[in-house]
Amino acid sequence: LCSACSSRYKNGSTGPPEISESGKFVCEACQRQFDSIGALGGHKRFCDAGTWRCGWCACKHSECSGKGPGPDGPKTLCSACSSRHKNGHTGPPEVNQEGKFVCDLCSRQFETIGALGGH
């Protein structure tokens, strides 16, 4: 066995990884496709099958620019909420009836949490 297949075997896999019609390796959990088995292996270490949500704003991983530490541990907040946590905030930003994020200091409104963070 090659090293990639050997690692899969040691982790309980009983066969080769699924390969799409286009010849790409497919993640069994989220169906994302990769050019190499190594890229698939790197992805699988962090794949949560799309179930991860930010502990404060509940955004999905695909909706944010990354994961960061929060009060409940590493990778529990999206990067925007993690930045707020690092700056002393204790929760997500306020959202008004229009769905816009409101600045705590000046009450200015923003379309996205990233725009609020940049402000």
Side-chain angles (χ1 to χ4, degrees), residues 34-44:
F34 298 89
D35 292 326
S36 70
I37 194 169
L40 172 63
H43 162 80
K44 286 184 75 169

Side-chain angles (χ1 to χ4, degrees), residues 99-119:
K100 294 186 177 184
F101 296 93
V102 181
C103 176
D104 299 348
L105 302 175
C106 69
S107 299
R108 190 170 165 194
Q109 300 175 16
F110 298 90
E111 295 289 330
T112 65
I113 193 170
L116 172 62
H119 163 70

Side-chain angles (χ1 to χ4, degrees), residues 14 23 27 29 39 63 66 72-73 75-76 83 86 90 95 101 113-114 116:
T14 58
C27 175
E63 300 169 340
D72 296 327
K75 298 182 182 181
T76 56
S83 179
K86 291 175 190 173
T90 58
V95 179
F101 296 93
I113 193 170
L116 172 62

Side-chain angles (χ1 to χ4, degrees), residues 10-62:
K10 289 176 188 173
N11 289 322
S13 292
T14 58
E18 181 183 341
I19 298 177
S20 70
E21 291 179 5
S22 60
K24 296 191 176 210
F25 296 93
V26 180
C27 175
E28 298 158 356
C30 70
Q31 304 306 308
R32 197 165 155 201
Q33 298 183 11
F34 298 89
D35 292 326
S36 70
I37 194 169
L40 172 63
H43 162 80
K44 286 184 75 169
R45 292 186 340 197
F46 302 103
C47 181
D48 62 4
T51 59
W52 183 88
R53 296 278 192 274
C54 173
W56 281 3
C57 72
C59 70
K60 296 179 183 180
H61 184 256
S62 62

Side-chain angles (χ1 to χ4, degrees), residues 78-96:
C78 68
S79 57
C81 287
S82 179
S83 179
R84 286 179 55 82
H85 170 68
K86 291 175 190 173
N87 288 321
H89 295 273
T90 58
E94 177 188 342
V95 179
N96 64 14

